[in-house]
Amino acid sequence: MAFSFPRKEKLKSKKLIEQLFAEGQPVSNYPIKLIYLKTELPFEVSIQAGVTVPKKNFKSAVKRNRIKRLMRESYRLNKGLVFNNSKGTFAFLFLYLGKEMPDYALVEENLKAVLHKFKKKINDE
């Protein structure tokens, strides 16, 4: 499987993001929280994902962008954990809840843990 994160896999729909916050199910492993929603997606992809970092915790856009970049990179390399085993289509939104600047190892470790929890939760349903 190619380790890519193409445009059609990126969550951009404002309606879908609002729906995620209203109806989505949370899975958390501090400092990363995943909100997911089983939904129909406009493209032939099984998951669309987005990342966000609250301005409240990181005033500097440079720091927020760095954390988002780390989260996207970690997701790109580890999305196979979910893609290969999930049935149905999902919208994902990853939130970084920590207050300190993370390094890549911390982000990847916690993102993997969140994806494992998601997989377990989906398989239990």
Side-chain angles (χ1 to χ4, degrees):
M1 178 184 156
F3 294 111
S4 63
F5 191 29
R7 185 179 213 148
K8 62 185 177 186
E9 286 180 19
K10 292 186 167 93
L11 180 62
K12 296 180 181 177
S13 164
K14 199 170 182 176
K15 276 185 189 172
L16 197 50
I17 292 170
E18 286 172 2
Q19 192 180 357
L20 255 172
F21 279 111
E23 306 166 24
Q25 303 291 317
V27 177
S28 191
N29 190 54
Y30 187 82
I32 295 176
K33 180 179 185 178
L34 165 65
I35 301 174
Y36 69 91
L37 183 65
K38 191 173 179 107
T39 183
E40 291 300 314
L41 295 174
F43 301 105
E44 62 285 341
V45 293
S46 57
I47 295 174
Q48 278 193 334
V51 297
T52 184
V53 179
K55 194 174 188 175
K56 181 180 173 188
N57 295 347
F58 294 93
K59 301 287 186 239
S60 164
V62 173
K63 289 182 179 179
R64 286 197 307 275
N65 291 341
R66 168 130 179 99
I67 296 169
K68 288 191 277 190
R69 195 163 53 244
L70 292 174
M71 288 171 61
R72 279 193 298 266
E73 176 70 1
S74 180
Y75 172 72
R76 181 183 72 83
L77 294 173
N78 295 298
K79 68 182 179 182
L81 300 172
V82 180
F83 261 100
N84 303 336
N85 305 313
S86 68
K87 295 159 191 67
T89 56
F90 294 92
F92 279 6
L93 188 64
F94 293 97
L95 292 141
Y96 184 80
L97 303 175
K99 292 188 183 343
E100 64 287 327
M101 199 65 186
D103 62 339
Y104 179 75
L106 177 82
V107 170
E108 185 176 37
E109 176 188 320
N110 288 300
L111 199 113
K112 276 184 183 176
V114 165
L115 290 175
H116 279 295
K117 284 183 181 181
F118 166 75
K119 193 166 68 173
K120 194 173 178 184
K121 200 169 180 180
I122 292 303
N123 290 338
D124 291 347
E125 287 178 3

